[in-house]
Amino acid sequence: MMKLYDYGRAPNPRRVKIFLAEKGVEVELVNCDMAKGEHKTPEFLKKNPSGKIPVLELEDGRCLAESVAICRYIEAIHPEPNLMGSNAFELGHIEMRNRHIETELWSQIGVSWVNGPIVGAMGIFEQIPAAKEASDRNVSAYYQRLDRELGEAPYIAGERFTIVDITLLTAVDFATSLVGLKPDASLESLWRWHALVSARASVDAQE
């Protein structure tokens, strides 16, 4: 059985776990305690030189890191239900929308996280308050953009659930619970989408 190196409700492993649940693929979950630095040990760095999770270890010992790369592998060996594009346009469109969320939203949530109180209490980074103020504003503006877009389509990439919805859900949930960046209650379309996706069995299984 394949192994997935995981850590509690860390958002990137959660992305992969939801994807796997949608596919009905079972893996062995291996806890990699980031608080103890297990992701930086020489043994783990052989699996992923970047020292990050998740990592998918195949039955033959080969390893894949990075959430989307892992999901691409799973999609290739378990093509249904399709979550990454079933024709040329969908492949490009879903990739585009996923990159939007990663580079324009997740990146800003990351800045706010690194410069926020939880990481600040760890004393491992010299924080930049002005950077957090800017990224907080950028996250809020992106939430407003999403609300407008979701007023025109039920899901982020159009008419059906895809990997993009998983990427966004984990971003919003992480930002809400640990970064203090909960979308405003007035963003009705965004919250309608959030309720729709959160009700999926694949998401509920990871709670």
Side-chain angles (χ1 to χ4, degrees):
M1 179 179 287
M2 295 183 291
K3 299 177 181 178
L4 182 71
Y5 290 83
D6 181 28
Y7 182 58
R9 282 179 54 81
N12 284 318
R14 186 179 179 224
R15 290 169 69 180
V16 174
K17 288 185 289 184
I18 293 172
F19 193 94
L20 289 167
E22 287 284 338
K23 294 287 189 178
V25 176
E26 294 186 2
V27 298
E28 177 186 348
L29 294 179
V30 180
N31 184 59
C32 180
D33 194 333
M34 298 179 72
K36 296 180 180 179
E38 291 180 356
H39 58 309
K40 300 297 185 181
T41 63
E43 181 182 2
F44 188 84
L45 291 174
K46 292 178 182 178
K47 302 180 188 299
N48 180 12
S50 292
K52 299 177 181 178
I53 58 171
V55 169
L56 182 71
E57 184 173 330
L58 309 186
E59 293 181 2
D60 62 7
R62 290 180 296 170
C63 293
L64 291 169
E66 300 297 331
S67 300
V68 174
I70 293 171
C71 291
R72 286 192 184 283
Y73 175 79
I74 297 300
E75 178 105 335
I77 61 173
H78 296 279
E80 296 299 332
N82 179 276
L83 296 174
M84 302 187 79
S86 59
N87 57 51
F89 178 79
E90 266 203 343
L91 285 166
H93 183 67
I94 291 169
E95 177 72 15
M96 175 189 75
R97 296 298 282 146
N98 205 57
R99 289 293 291 162
H100 285 169
I101 301 300
E102 290 188 327
T103 61
E104 298 177 43
L105 179 62
W106 254 122
S107 65
Q108 296 305 296
I109 293 170
V111 173
S112 293
W113 163 250
V114 168
N115 292 286
I118 294 177
V119 174
M122 300 175 187
I124 56 177
F125 294 110
E126 181 179 350
Q127 295 190 300
I128 306 172
K132 184 179 186 305
E133 292 173 6
S135 57
D136 284 359
R137 289 194 299 270
N138 291 338
V139 170
S140 178
Y142 202 89
Y143 284 161
Q144 293 175 45
R145 168 183 162 180
L146 288 168
D147 189 65
R148 292 191 298 271
E149 293 172 344
L150 287 165
E152 300 177 358
Y155 296 98
I156 302 300
E159 298 299 316
R160 69 182 182 90
F161 179 86
T162 68
I163 188 175
V164 191
D165 298 287
I166 299 173
T167 299
L168 179 58
L169 180 71
T170 54
V172 171
D173 286 353
F174 177 73
T176 296
S177 62
L178 291 173
V179 194
L181 292 173
K182 183 178 181 179
D184 191 82
S186 66
L187 303 177
E188 295 181 0
S189 295
L190 178 55
W191 282 114
R192 182 272 310 158
W193 165 87
H194 187 273
L196 176 67
V197 174
S198 296
R200 297 181 73 88
S202 61
V203 175
D204 185 62
Q206 308 310 319
E207 298 302 326

